[in-house]
Amino acid sequence: MIQNISEHDRENLQESLAKSGQKVTPQREVVFSVLLAKRDHPTVDEVFHRARETMPGLSLATVYNCLQTFVGCGLIRQVNHERESTRYCPNLAPHAHFRDAATGRVHDIELPPEVIQSLRSILPPGFDPEAIEVSFHGRALAGDAHPTL
Amino acid sequence: MIQNISEHDRENLQESLAKSGQKVTPQREVVFSVLLAKRDHPTVDEVFHRARETMPGLSLATVYNCLQTFVGCGLIRQVNHERESTRYCPNLAPHAHFRDAATGRVHDIELPPEVIQSLRSILPPGFDPEAIEVSFHGRALAGDAHPTL
DNA sequence: GAGATGTTTTGAATCATTCTAAATGGAGAA
DNA sequence: TTCTCCATTTAGAATGATTCAAAACATCTC
Ligand SMILES: [Mn+2]
Ligand SMILES: [Mn+2]
Ligand SMILES: [Zn+2]
Ligand SMILES: [Zn+2]
């Protein structure tokens, strides 16, 4: 599944990196394209194996470096559940995560502004949130009626 | 700060353990009392050091064992933020956590039923949550106006 | 080309957590 | 009482994700 990045995505990558004085490299491009190709919240190891199909010499440390860089640029988000390996998500819209107990798969769940507002409203005065994380854990009925959005 | 457990709390411990065929031991009692004494979401290492003030021979492995046992019994909850060390919380009421970026402290935030309902409502049909986790990260204005509830 | 700078690579180090196997201790049977 | 059984505790080794350190590479400028 060798996948190329679209012109639009490459520009997005280029500009986001440029904002913090960093450059597009072949490794970064491959890692980014892996994230865009299958938005299933892969772990570092999964990204590593997928990226190696395109670039066999790529090292694990570089995958860690790239992902960290992208998170720093705001290109992707980290997703943690309990103490499992960190997963990565290129969906920048506000959303929650649902981890299916049966399959281990992580689904994106849209988080509407009014729900975010209701969450903010429970904070006593003086609490100023920079980030809000919502995650569900349970069973999701088979039928892949809900592709990772 | 050697702390004794109340009769009420000891019964709670005894009955919860009994439900899964387990017994109160001196170690379990000390670890449980540490959690009740200061409800500040301590890490395993913090529990370990506090418990050792009362029981100097206590081992780290036992602290891990006790905490795992208590989580299994539903006596306490695990609290994770990103990939930091797991923290433990004896507050069984539905609540969210706010991690203060400045101090690292974790505060309990009450989660009213209507907010929980609004969170459930964003799930598409077929998603059946067993657990919902909400966590905030940001600044909390000094004044300890909000003791861990 | 030489120097500067940022990036990648390898392998070692870190650190929370789990595992293993040996010791301990209490409850009940003999 | 002494013996047996069984859960629990203990010390230390193992695990596994992540980070770190230092050398190799690339690219750019002078
Ligand atoms: Mn692998
Ligand atoms: Mn320590
Ligand atoms: Zn996502
Ligand atoms: Zn709590």
Side-chain angles (χ1 to χ4, degrees), chain A residues 44-145:
Chain A
V44 173
D45 201 59
E46 286 165 345
V47 172
F48 177 56
H49 289 300
R50 293 178 197 174
R52 265 187 175 253
E53 286 170 29
T54 301
M55 184 181 275
L58 181 69
S59 77
L60 180 59
T62 297
V63 175
Y64 273 101
N65 290 341
C66 290
L67 292 171
Q68 202 165 289
T69 297
F70 297 161
V71 170
C73 290
L75 278 166
I76 62 175
R77 280 174 56 179
Q78 281 186 321
V79 179
N80 288 288
H81 279 109
E82 319 264 302
R83 302 212 92 250
E84 289 172 13
S85 304
T86 300
R87 295 175 176 277
Y88 292 85
C89 171
N91 177 1
L92 296 177
H95 66 282
H97 290 107
F98 188 104
R99 188 185 28 151
D100 185 331
T103 65
R105 262 199 281 253
V106 175
H107 302 264
D108 280 353
I109 305 289
E110 199 192 333
L111 205 44
E114 66 268 20
V115 173
I116 295 174
Q117 188 43 48
S118 104
L119 286 171
R120 286 181 167 275
S121 77
I122 70 179
L123 291 172
F127 284 80
D128 182 26
E130 278 166 23
I132 306 180
E133 303 237 316
V134 176
S135 75
F136 300 89
H137 179 232
R139 304 273 153 174
L141 287 196
D144 224 1

Side-chain angles (χ1 to χ4, degrees), chain A residues 3-5 28-38 54:
Chain A
Q3 191 79 27
N4 249 4
I5 196 173
R28 284 174 180 164
E29 196 170 313
V30 170
V31 170
F32 193 52
S33 80
V34 162
L35 293 170
L36 294 180
K38 198 164 171 221
T54 301

